[in-house]
Amino acid sequence: MPTAKRSKTIFVVNNEQAKRLRKMSAEEEDENVVYVQRTEYDYGFDGPSVKEVPFVRGKIDGLFTWRWSNGNFVETPYVRGVIHGVERERKSHNLTIETPWVNGLKHGVQRTTWPDVFIEVPFVHDVA
């Protein structure tokens, strides 16, 4: 049975600290330790936001999230530094976008939804 991942959340306030966190992650011997960069922003059109970026051995690995105080968010799944899985976005409380990714390429049906409109766009290897 695989060992459970253990997280170390570290608050980061500037790019230099973010670089150090990524370096610490790259130097970590245990691949079950996830370093989570947490950055809080108090500005922006959508209000204050929080960004969390998980790193395993120096690469983004897991769910990268960015959440705003108004309810908007972006959730992007990564596997060893490459986008892989379904990315979800919500904008202005009434627009949602789901984009499937396979090994860093859009692949599958991207769905965009408003209260009265639904659009599906199929992608094959990043081509609509």
Side-chain angles (χ1 to χ4, degrees):
M1 182 176 203
T3 305
K5 299 262 186 198
R6 296 182 311 280
S7 292
K8 293 182 180 182
T9 300
I10 300 171
F11 288 87
V12 173
V13 296
N14 59 41
N15 286 337
E16 189 57 40
Q17 289 178 344
K19 287 178 190 176
R20 280 188 294 215
L21 179 138
R22 193 170 191 159
K23 185 175 185 230
M24 285 173 24
S25 167
E27 294 170 349
E28 176 65 53
E29 300 277 331
D30 186 350
E31 66 185 25
N32 292 310
V33 175
V34 180
Y35 286 81
V36 180
Q37 171 189 326
R38 183 176 171 99
T39 309
E40 296 180 0
Y41 300 92
D42 288 329
Y43 57 87
F45 181 74
D46 294 330
S49 63
V50 175
K51 176 172 75 172
E52 291 188 347
V53 187
F55 289 98
V56 174
R57 292 196 167 168
K59 295 185 178 183
I60 299 175
D61 193 64
L63 193 61
F64 174 118
T65 62
W66 199 314
R67 297 184 181 285
W68 286 264
S69 61
N70 68 356
N72 292 348
F73 67 83
V74 177
E75 298 175 334
T76 308
Y78 280 82
V79 177
R80 293 188 252 348
V82 178
I83 299 175
H84 188 82
V86 178
E87 178 179 59
R88 291 178 172 78
E89 297 180 61
R90 182 170 63 202
K91 298 179 179 182
S92 303
H93 293 293
N94 58 9
L95 166 65
T96 59
I97 303 169
E98 292 185 347
T99 305
W101 294 84
V102 176
N103 295 321
L105 301 174
K106 289 181 185 178
H107 191 81
V109 178
Q110 180 183 53
R111 291 177 173 84
T112 304
T113 307
W114 287 271
D116 56 349
V117 177
F118 183 74
I119 299 171
E120 290 186 332
V121 179
F123 282 85
V124 177
H125 305 300
D126 225 24
V127 177

